[in-house]
Amino acid sequence: MALQRLNACSRALLTDLSRVAVLRGAIKSDCLKCRDGAKRYLLSEEVVKLQDFQQRKLTVAFQLSESKGYYFDEVNRKMEKKQLISKDELKILLYLCHSVEDVFMARNAMYRYHEENRNMKQFVEFKFGPLFMRLCYELGLEELGARTLTDPALKGFFLDSTSFNLAIDMLFTKQHYESCLEVVGEIKKQGVPFNKDTFMLAFAACYKLNTSKSYHICLTLLEEGQAKGSFIPRHAYCFAAALALKQNDIERAQAFYSQIMCTNSRLCQNLRVLILAMKGSMKEAVSVLTAALVLESPVFVKKPEFSQEVVNVLKNKSVGGLWEREVELVVKQLVEAGQITKQSIDDFLCHTASRRRMPQGILERERKTTRRNQRTLQSILLME
């Protein structure tokens, strides 16, 4: 009986979520497919946690004793009478949002809650920022999310880098690169520390804009991060190096590349060849390609791949030089070995790694734990 109720609730919620597309033309697909439908995104599912968020929404709705309308009416009544809104009430409200209209109402409740609790110690016990941003992610409300982050009235409400990172990733997906940098500026303004994802996202936006101003911003952020001893990930250095190449600053591109500790990825190998080609170091470039050449290997062994874009740059730079013949030969061998791809450096850069697979034993233990410990509503509300 309980299982039937859960299935019915799940179907009802999914039906409500599908109506969002009718309410707002900008939403191209329902919430369960919005990540797959994105053109470009940089944060992995392990960071965005959208599927986990959606599952919690279903669980909260199933475990509530009253209807969604009751909770919305109750919070509305409290706001009209200027009564206190509790932490759990705001959490439940955010988990029950299925439409754009719901989000605006919950956003008003956030303003009220922040006004009441900004100076109270209990306020920092739960981070509402990631919860609200995942809700915006689910419904495709990137502009609303960014405006909420940067609203002075909510200063101090978003105390974590995750909220800002999710907003930047949403904006990047919709190609709003200037807005990405506005959010980066707000992070600095509010004194929220950058983490590895923040650096990667900021450098990605700078790379996409490819202006002297965005290049200066990238250099400044990189210098500040290094001076503070912040961890700057490989992907961020790759964006910085690629931007330097676009700005024809080959020396800096090589300097950024030298900061990468592990360079065995496809992206790093392509960047290395591209830097060498643009420097005119034909001998070293041919050496890298020759070392990567795999003439015979089992089908299941993944071969190193090089972008046609990179190969074209190398060939053009070698025309009329001493290494023209050697370049043509190694490129021909790579083509025959199936190691040339039509994907560009941009494709390699703007690619999110798939979610890491857990070993089978761990997965089985997770399933047993889930079956054994069905989370209560209170335990779900305590989680971020």
Side-chain angles (χ1 to χ4, degrees), residues 313-324:
V313 172
L314 180 63
K315 289 171 68 176
N316 290 336
K317 290 288 184 179
S318 68
V319 172
L322 297 174
W323 287 84
E324 181 178 7

Side-chain angles (χ1 to χ4, degrees), residues 34-158:
C34 62
R35 286 281 287 173
D36 295 333
K39 289 183 178 179
R40 293 290 174 86
Y41 53 88
L42 294 173
L43 294 182
S44 68
E45 179 59 29
E46 292 173 309
V47 177
V48 179
K49 297 181 180 178
L50 191 58
Q51 294 177 8
D52 183 54
F53 167 73
Q54 291 164 346
Q55 183 58 51
R56 289 183 198 176
K57 287 186 70 174
L58 293 172
T59 306
V60 168
F62 174 69
Q63 293 188 356
L64 291 179
S65 58
E66 302 290 347
S67 67
K68 167 190 167 183
Y70 170 83
Y71 285 97
F72 273 76
D73 291 342
E74 187 67 16
V75 173
N76 260 326
R77 182 185 63 80
K78 284 194 169 188
M79 285 195 291
E80 289 173 0
K81 294 185 176 182
K82 296 186 177 180
Q83 295 177 340
L84 292 174
I85 298 174
S86 72
K87 182 170 59 179
D88 284 349
E89 284 175 327
L90 182 55
K91 290 179 192 176
I92 291 173
L93 200 67
L94 289 168
Y95 277 123
L96 289 178
C97 289
H98 302 145
S99 69
V100 179
E101 288 81 358
D102 291 347
V103 175
F104 274 100
M105 190 273 178
R107 184 171 177 258
N108 291 335
M110 280 169 44
Y111 279 92
R112 176 70 178 149
Y113 180 85
H114 182 57
E115 183 181 352
E116 296 166 348
N117 297 281
R118 69 174 72 209
N119 296 320
M120 297 178 66
K121 186 177 180 182
Q122 69 175 25
F123 175 68
V124 300
E125 291 179 359
F126 183 85
K127 297 175 182 177
F128 280 98
L131 178 57
F132 178 72
M133 285 301 151
R134 288 184 177 109
L135 180 59
C136 290
Y137 216 127
E138 179 185 55
L139 299 180
L141 302 174
E142 68 285 342
E143 293 181 0
L144 176 64
R147 286 201 306 271
T148 306
L149 271 178
T150 57
D151 192 335
L154 282 175
K155 184 177 180 180
F157 189 82
F158 300 97

Side-chain angles (χ1 to χ4, degrees), residues 67-346:
S67 67
K68 167 190 167 183
Y70 170 83
Y71 285 97
F72 273 76
D73 291 342
E74 187 67 16
V75 173
N76 260 326
R77 182 185 63 80
K78 284 194 169 188
M79 285 195 291
E80 289 173 0
K81 294 185 176 182
K82 296 186 177 180
Q83 295 177 340
L84 292 174
I85 298 174
S86 72
K87 182 170 59 179
D88 284 349
E89 284 175 327
L90 182 55
K91 290 179 192 176
I92 291 173
L93 200 67
L94 289 168
Y95 277 123
L96 289 178
C97 289
H98 302 145
S99 69
V100 179
E101 288 81 358
D102 291 347
V103 175
F104 274 100
M105 190 273 178
R107 184 171 177 258
N108 291 335
M110 280 169 44
Y111 279 92
R112 176 70 178 149
Y113 180 85
H114 182 57
E115 183 181 352
E116 296 166 348
N117 297 281
R118 69 174 72 209
N119 296 320
M120 297 178 66
K121 186 177 180 182
Q122 69 175 25
F123 175 68
V124 300
E125 291 179 359
F126 183 85
K127 297 175 182 177
F128 280 98
L131 178 57
F132 178 72
M133 285 301 151
R134 288 184 177 109
L135 180 59
C136 290
Y137 216 127
E138 179 185 55
L139 299 180
L141 302 174
E142 68 285 342
E143 293 181 0
L144 176 64
R147 286 201 306 271
T148 306
L149 271 178
T150 57
D151 192 335
L154 282 175
K155 184 177 180 180
F157 189 82
F158 300 97
L159 298 171
D160 60 286
S161 57
T162 299
S163 298
F164 291 93
N165 293 343
L166 290 170
I168 298 172
D169 195 51
M170 281 191 284
L171 293 167
F172 187 91
T173 298
K174 301 297 178 67
Q175 302 177 21
H176 301 323
Y177 307 124
E178 289 280 4
S179 298
C180 289
L181 294 186
E182 288 176 8
V183 175
V184 172
E186 189 65 25
I187 298 175
K188 290 174 64 65
K189 183 179 177 181
Q190 295 194 24
V192 177
F194 281 39
N195 67 8
K196 62 183 182 66
D197 291 326
T198 316
F199 281 109
M200 184 265 294
L201 290 162
F203 292 1
C206 291
Y207 161 82
K208 278 296 189 177
L209 287 170
N210 187 30
T211 62
S212 57
K213 180 181 177 181
S214 72
Y215 187 39
H216 176 72
I217 292 173
C218 180
L219 295 178
T220 302
L221 292 175
L222 183 55
E223 290 173 4
E224 290 178 354
Q226 290 175 332
K228 293 178 181 178
S230 303
F231 173 68
I232 300 175
R234 177 174 66 180
H235 205 165
Y237 276 119
C238 287
F239 272 116
L243 176 56
L245 289 177
K246 281 190 169 188
Q247 292 290 310
N248 203 32
D249 192 348
I250 302 171
E251 186 176 341
R252 270 210 178 97
Q254 188 167 27
F256 295 154
Y257 185 84
S258 67
Q259 298 292 316
I260 301 173
M261 300 301 293
C262 181
T263 59
N264 58 358
S265 70
R266 179 178 63 171
L267 171 58
C268 287
Q269 288 297 300
N270 275 268
L271 274 177
R272 184 184 179 190
V273 174
L274 186 57
I275 291 171
L276 291 171
M278 293 184 70
K279 276 182 61 181
S281 301
M282 297 295 116
K283 180 178 180 181
E284 291 84 348
V286 169
S287 178
V288 173
L289 295 177
T290 303
L293 186 61
V294 181
L295 297 176
E296 294 183 9
S297 68
V299 177
F300 55 83
V301 175
K302 192 172 183 179
K303 300 178 181 180
E305 288 184 323
F306 293 91
S307 169
Q308 185 68 56
E309 173 192 21
V310 172
V311 168
N312 289 343
V313 172
L314 180 63
K315 289 171 68 176
N316 290 336
K317 290 288 184 179
S318 68
V319 172
L322 297 174
W323 287 84
E324 181 178 7
R325 183 177 178 182
E326 285 77 3
V327 168
E328 289 180 351
L329 178 60
V330 72
V331 169
K332 180 182 178 181
Q333 290 175 319
L334 287 168
V335 170
E336 291 173 351
Q339 291 179 249
I340 301 294
T341 176
K342 292 182 180 179
Q343 288 182 292
S344 64
I345 287 288
D346 190 271

Side-chain angles (χ1 to χ4, degrees), residues 360-374:
Q360 189 64 32
I362 296 177
L363 283 171
E364 186 60 33
R365 287 197 296 272
E366 285 286 333
R367 293 191 191 99
K368 289 180 180 179
T369 302
T370 302
R371 288 194 296 266
R372 188 169 57 249
N373 301 325
Q374 294 295 330

